[in-house]
Amino acid sequence: MISIKNLEFRYGDSEDPALRDITLDVESGDFLGIIGPSGAGKSTLTYAMSGVIPHHYKGDFYGSVEIGGLDTVQSSPEAIARHVGSVFQDVEGQLLASVVEDEILFGLENFGIPREEIEERIEYALSSSGISDLRCRTIASLSGGQKQKVAIASITALRPEVIVLDEPTGELDPQSSRRVFETLRELNHTYGVTVVIVEQKIMMLCEFARRMAVMEAGRIILEGPVREVLSHGERLEEAGVNIPRVAALSRRLREAGLYRGNTPIDLAEAETMMREVAADAAF
Amino acid sequence: MLRFENVCFGYRGEDVMADVSFEMVEGEFTALMGENGAGKSTLCRLGNGLLKPMSGRVMVGGHNTKHVKTSSLAALVGFLFQNPDRQLCSGTVRGEIMLGLENTGFDKATRLKRCDMMLEMFGLDGTRDPFGLSRGERQKVALASVLAPKPGLLILDEPTTGLDYRECVTIMDIISRLNEEGTTILMVSHDMEVVGDFAKRALVLSGGHIVGDGPVREIMRDRAVMESSSLLPAQIPSLAMRIGDLGAAFGSAFTIDDMVAAVERSRDCSGMRRAAAS
Amino acid sequence: MRGFLDYVSGDSVPHRLNPMTKLALAFVLCAACFMTKDHMLVGGVIVCNLCLAAMAGVFDRSARVFLSLLKLAFILFVMQVFFVRQGNVLLTLPKGFYITDEGISFSLLFAMRMIAAAMPLTLMLSITRMSDLSNALVKFLHIPYKYTFVLTTAIRFIPLFSDEMIGIMEAQTARGVEFDTRSFIKKVRLLLPLCVPLLISSVRRIETGAISAELRGFNLRTRDSGYKTYGFGAIDAAAFVFCALLIYAALTV
């Protein structure tokens, strides 16, 4: 779906490249989490996927980014937007209307979606984000989590194959963050939308993402299925990425020669690990 | 240091805080937890006088907040907001820290001395423009300027939200060092790992009431309290509660070290048993 | 005064008017106040505003706007009343000040006009969705969408700005800046440096908005893009008749 080859990008006003030698393939239907310290180039990478670079922010662009066979440098931002939808961290900033329904209409109207299709698309967008009841509410009256879902719905209405999100839960509390992730999972499972998300909350990625990419200083240093990436505890720590406590625990047990199995990524797996370890120890 | 006595507060007829009472003594590190809308921010704002209680009293270091101007409480109570950008307004980091001192009535020599101390303590370059720094660095500048007047009580509203892991660790290390030196700390946080690692006491708010108050280790294991305020305990205590049947050491583990120690002890015990049997 | 420009949803008669009718009605209510010299008619326009607000279910808000305008109007009245020299002197004050009957009449009219002219705008914005207003302006007045978008965005930003400003002032008070001072001048002087953080957060926000609009096809939009249609019905006709009558009254009374 997304194919990035040897991408290097340097913003016009800066000395150092923000992205260096990025090669990444995202397959259709994937759920990819991107994590890394601030300044590692995560946002720039999402910009590369949505065509914001090199179209909105200018700079030196080497290598290639293809979205569903479309080269982003040669295509207009609007043409790219038909394949990739973007959601940003600043919830307030990206919403442009005062009523939920109008927010969703905005993109549909602009892209000239046929009249008879519009109602169906609005309903699809609202129900897939679980906010059908908010249709006529003013955006000012919504909570942060609800606003972020409206932003997601305004994108899904356009039926992009990929949705790219840049820390959409950065300012939300744990319950609201979880609900945003549940919405994304629903889109991914039921509607087959490919999800690429930049996120600091590693536990959320462990629970919801299928693959994970770790960035450091403009490069992707690790990429693969979540469990596999988490087994590189030391490398992650060095890059300044937190790992879930249960994964850290398995690392400690392994170092002490008490455990040899897989790295657990959630509580259920950690429970299995501990029962195994305790049984071994008592033997 | 900080005492709430039957405090009630509401906006436009809606109760946000109903009959809240608690006391924090000097040197405490207390985490304030609860869902969004539970009244955490209101409680913090009542604590530094930005809001005044409708009934009841809030006492800060012996002063009733109702009778003191909020701006003059600043020397007593440091308040760090979630978004540092609302606080920064100076062209240089040094200017920003000096600004925090100007408003609190120290003499010039002391102000300069305290400013240098802060720059050193936080490892900041005083000549930089705060707006050119990363989010984590800006948070550090904001914290430095709040701490410069040396307040005895520090109220932190989600100090680690929006920071990456390394920035989070840096900020929390500074805060815990201050606490060791005697500063009283009240911290709102959604991050249960941070709460578990640093706070000693936890206050749990739900619907404007305090529904839980006690040592963090006990509160996190109190299913009734945690569930009533839809909080999830940190991972290791959660794991411990699932495997309590393996033995008391497993069931009561709170940190990774506790967990590893429990495994090692059970191995040693079985080793001894085997030795005794043979 | 918070939120006095926000849209309040509803299905009342004023809500159902065509956005163009609402705009015309608001404009005529304003204009009538300046065409007439009759106190009663201007008073009538104020009452009319409050009635429309009551019909639309936003009476509380209009009443609040009215009361705050009343305070401002009183200041204007006092400032004006001493400067009109014509007419019969009613009251002589020291230092050569005096108040005349014409002065009172003129100042009263001036203050009332201010109230009557400010209310229709807030009322119209309370009962019209931003998007409807902007679409109607594009469709009927052929104003380019870019301009109406800027206008509606500016109005939408007002509450966001005021929230941000309140947050900034709170943060500054908490670090000892005396925003809780009673002196107005001192407060303004303290406020000036805060324009920097406000400006920076606004620029960031606008940047996000611009990218978000661009990626949702803002540049592809044409006059025919609007999905909703805005018809004129019997209530619109009634409103236009009312407008004509009001203008006639304003010109003849």
Side-chain angles (χ1 to χ4, degrees):
Chain A
M1 192 65 235
I2 301 179
S3 166
I4 303 178
K5 284 200 184 69
N6 306 106
L7 172 66
E8 178 166 326
F9 183 78
R10 189 173 60 80
Y11 285 101
D13 56 358
S14 124
E15 301 265 305
D16 299 315
L19 297 177
R20 301 161 199 259
D21 197 28
I22 301 273
T23 296
L24 178 69
D25 279 297
V26 184
E27 286 184 15
S28 186
D30 209 348
F31 196 133
L32 173 75
I34 301 175
I35 197 167
S38 70
K42 305 187 296 298
S43 296
T44 311
L45 185 57
T46 66
Y47 288 161
M49 293 179 188
S50 56
V52 173
I53 61 168
H55 294 289
H56 189 94
Y57 294 117
K58 309 284 178 205
D60 298 337
F61 188 106
Y62 304 101
S64 75
V65 179
E66 272 183 24
I67 311 288
L70 212 65
D71 187 301
T72 59
V73 178
Q74 276 147 31
S75 316
S76 70
E78 287 84 10
I80 301 165
R82 286 176 201 265
H83 298 273
V84 186
S86 298
V87 175
F88 306 97
Q89 180 172 14
D90 180 3
V91 189
E92 306 272 354
Q94 67 195 312
L95 299 175
L96 306 168
S98 50
V99 178
V100 173
E101 185 183 40
D102 295 331
E103 187 65 42
I104 293 164
L105 261 178
F106 182 80
L108 294 174
E109 289 178 340
N110 293 345
F111 281 112
I113 303 302
R115 202 154 266 285
E116 52 283 3
E117 229 181 276
I118 282 189
E119 184 51 40
E120 181 202 325
R121 292 256 199 147
I122 295 178
E123 268 165 27
Y124 158 75
L126 290 170
S127 63
S128 63
S129 289
I131 50 169
S132 297
D133 51 327
L134 303 180
R135 179 167 179 164
C136 292
R137 288 272 295 274
T138 59
I139 288 171
S141 69
L142 304 179
S143 71
Q146 288 173 326
K147 283 179 189 165
Q148 200 54 277
K149 283 193 202 173
V150 172
I152 293 172
S154 75
I155 295 302
T156 50
L158 301 168
R159 296 232 167 104
E161 290 110 318
V162 191
I163 177 164
V164 178
L165 308 98
D166 187 5
E167 297 200 37
T169 70
E171 287 161 23
L172 305 182
D173 63 299
Q175 291 90 345
S176 319
S177 305
R178 165 167 285 277
R179 277 176 215 128
V180 167
F181 268 93
E182 280 164 0
T183 300
L184 293 173
R185 175 154 66 189
E186 176 71 10
L187 280 172
N188 182 255
H189 277 204
T190 313
Y191 302 94
V193 179
T194 309
V195 177
V196 177
I197 183 168
V198 172
E199 179 60 62
Q200 289 292 351
K201 299 183 180 113
I202 184 103
M203 309 247 262
M204 288 288 175
L205 290 184
C206 289
E207 195 178 335
F208 291 93
R210 222 165 282 138
R211 295 172 73 81
M212 199 152 96
V214 184
M215 290 191 73
E216 184 189 30
R219 294 174 202 280
I220 292 180
I221 54 162
L222 288 169
E223 201 259 323
V226 172
R227 191 189 313 278
E228 197 187 301
V229 169
L230 283 182
S231 64
H232 296 88
E234 216 163 318
R235 184 72 188 89
L236 289 168
E237 203 169 88
E238 195 187 311
V241 172
N242 188 11
I243 61 170
R245 295 290 158 102
V246 291
L249 174 63
S250 80
R251 203 175 130 208
R252 277 284 300 280
L253 292 171
R254 202 174 283 132
E255 280 166 6
L258 295 163
Y259 180 66
R260 261 168 226 95
N262 283 331
T263 304
I265 59 170
D266 60 25
L267 280 175
E269 290 183 15
E271 182 178 343
T272 315
M273 167 182 81
M274 284 312 293
R275 291 194 183 281
E276 206 177 292
V277 168
D280 282 353
F283 181 65
Chain B
M1 193 71 224
L2 177 67
R3 195 166 71 237
F4 276 54
E5 296 172 8
N6 309 100
V7 172
C8 296
F9 187 83
Y11 298 98
R12 293 196 191 130
E14 269 177 68
D15 277 353
V16 180
M17 197 115 294
D19 196 26
V20 166
S21 300
F22 69 92
E23 181 166 9
M24 280 176 69
V25 296
E26 238 173 85
E28 255 188 49
F29 194 142
T30 299
L32 184 58
M33 315 191 290
E35 275 183 284
N36 268 15
K40 301 187 299 292
S41 293
T42 306
L43 191 144
C44 289
R45 282 164 171 74
L46 284 163
N48 81 330
L50 273 173
L51 298 174
K52 314 280 182 189
M54 285 172 163
S55 67
R57 286 201 302 177
V58 177
M59 302 293 288
V60 180
H63 302 274
N64 185 335
T65 58
K66 230 176 196 162
H67 304 141
V68 194
K69 267 212 299 195
T70 310
S71 51
S72 52
L73 273 176
L76 222 58
V77 192
F79 195 114
L80 185 70
F81 287 83
Q82 191 186 335
N83 183 352
D85 297 345
R86 287 186 166 171
Q87 192 191 309
L88 305 176
C89 60
S90 194
T92 62
V93 170
R94 174 175 285 276
E96 194 59 47
I97 297 173
M98 289 303 282
L99 203 74
L101 286 162
E102 247 163 57
N103 303 309
T104 45
F106 284 104
D107 64 67
K108 183 116 200 236
T110 320
R111 291 205 305 249
L112 284 170
K113 213 177 87 197
R114 296 236 18 116
C115 181
D116 288 335
M117 242 174 83
M118 285 297 136
L119 288 173
E120 199 197 304
M121 178 171 168
F122 283 81
L124 290 165
D125 175 356
T127 59
R128 289 287 299 272
D129 176 358
F131 292 101
L133 299 171
S134 73
R135 167 80 196 248
E137 293 282 302
R138 296 205 297 279
Q139 185 77 296
K140 270 191 349 198
V141 176
L143 183 60
S145 91
V146 164
L147 290 176
K150 212 169 184 203
L153 171 64
L154 187 58
I155 300 178
L156 306 154
D157 194 355
E158 297 184 37
T160 59
T161 300
L163 303 187
D164 70 28
Y165 179 61
R166 214 174 259 161
E167 293 167 336
C168 166
V169 169
T170 317
I171 291 278
M172 287 316 298
D173 279 347
I174 293 170
I175 292 169
S176 83
R177 204 162 72 217
L178 280 165
N179 178 243
E180 277 158 23
E181 289 164 8
T183 310
T184 314
I185 292 176
L186 178 63
M187 173 180 78
V188 173
S189 184
H190 286 310
D191 189 332
M192 289 298 150
E193 306 295 348
V194 168
V195 169
D197 286 352
F198 295 98
K200 304 288 175 313
R201 172 181 170 190
L203 279 176
V204 185
L205 272 182
S206 178
H209 295 274
I210 291 183
V211 295
D213 178 3
V216 170
R217 285 176 179 242
E218 282 170 27
I219 292 288
M220 282 216 194
R221 310 175 63 85
D222 190 329
R223 266 177 226 265
V225 167
M226 296 300 276
E227 273 165 26
S228 74
S229 42
S230 28
L231 295 170
L232 283 175
Q235 265 196 325
I236 299 296
S238 299
L239 177 61
M241 285 196 282
R242 281 166 164 249
I243 56 172
D245 58 301
L246 292 177
F250 289 98
S252 64
F254 193 75
T255 62
I256 291 178
D257 287 341
D258 295 348
M259 213 44 113
V260 176
V263 179
E264 277 168 348
R265 189 138 48 120
S266 116
R267 184 188 55 187
D268 295 348
C269 282
S270 64
M272 280 189 321
R273 245 185 290 120
R274 241 176 299 140
S278 66
Chain C
M1 283 296 273
R2 277 207 58 213
F4 68 105
L5 291 176
D6 293 350
Y7 171 70
V8 179
S9 56
D11 197 30
S12 67
V13 172
H15 273 99
R16 290 204 305 269
L17 287 172
N18 186 294
M20 288 316 290
T21 316
K22 292 182 203 173
L23 199 62
L25 189 59
F27 178 74
V28 167
L29 284 172
C30 284
C33 303
F34 289 95
M35 288 182 205
T36 184
K37 286 202 169 64
D38 185 61
H39 293 76
M40 293 300 285
L41 190 67
V42 179
V45 170
I46 296 177
V47 172
C48 178
N49 264 317
L50 289 170
C51 288
L52 280 172
M55 276 167 81
V58 291
F59 181 77
D60 283 359
R61 176 189 292 196
S62 280
R64 258 189 295 135
V65 172
F66 175 68
L67 288 178
S68 11
L69 285 170
L70 204 59
K71 285 179 211 152
L72 192 63
F74 179 73
I75 298 170
L76 282 175
F77 175 78
V78 172
M79 277 164 62
Q80 278 287 329
V81 82
F82 294 111
F83 292 100
V84 179
R85 302 306 225 193
Q86 298 91 343
N88 304 317
V89 176
L90 293 178
L91 184 66
T92 317
L93 298 163
K95 304 222 169 166
F97 282 110
Y98 51 84
I99 295 175
T100 70
D101 56 352
E102 262 184 48
I104 289 187
S105 163
F106 177 80
S107 310
L108 193 63
L109 185 64
F110 184 79
M112 284 172 79
R113 274 178 178 167
M114 207 263 323
I115 298 177
M119 287 179 71
L121 184 71
T122 62
L123 176 62
M124 190 213 32
L125 291 175
S126 300
I127 62 170
T128 317
R129 283 193 194 184
M130 270 316 147
S131 60
D132 289 341
L133 186 63
S134 107
N135 284 342
L137 287 172
V138 171
K139 270 198 178 137
F140 297 108
L141 298 185
H142 293 203
I143 297 174
Y145 184 72
K146 266 184 190 157
Y147 298 140
T148 64
F149 184 74
V150 168
L151 177 77
T152 53
T153 304
I155 294 175
R156 203 173 49 83
F157 260 65
I158 295 172
L160 293 183
F161 272 164
S162 77
D163 277 358
E164 192 67 28
M165 201 64 212
I166 291 167
I168 290 173
M169 277 168 63
E170 231 182 20
Q172 300 299 331
T173 311
R175 71 198 286 218
V177 181
E178 275 189 283
F179 273 115
D180 36 9
T181 175
R182 284 178 193 280
S183 155
F184 181 72
I185 296 166
K186 198 168 174 189
K187 204 166 177 172
V188 170
R189 226 183 21 230
L190 290 171
L191 268 173
L192 284 177
L194 302 188
C195 293
V196 178
L198 186 63
L199 205 69
I200 285 179
S201 71
S202 315
V203 168
R204 274 193 200 141
R205 186 148 281 175
I206 290 167
E207 181 81 21
T208 306
I211 296 179
S212 161
E214 190 180 349
L215 293 182
R216 281 192 278 154
F218 178 79
N219 294 321
L220 299 177
R221 199 176 178 99
T222 64
R223 181 139 55 84
D224 303 319
S225 291
Y227 169 63
K228 288 187 193 156
T229 48
Y230 304 97
F232 289 91
I235 46 170
D236 294 292
F240 278 115
V241 170
F242 174 76
C243 287
L245 286 175
L246 188 62
I247 290 176
Y248 177 74
L251 289 173
T252 50
V253 177

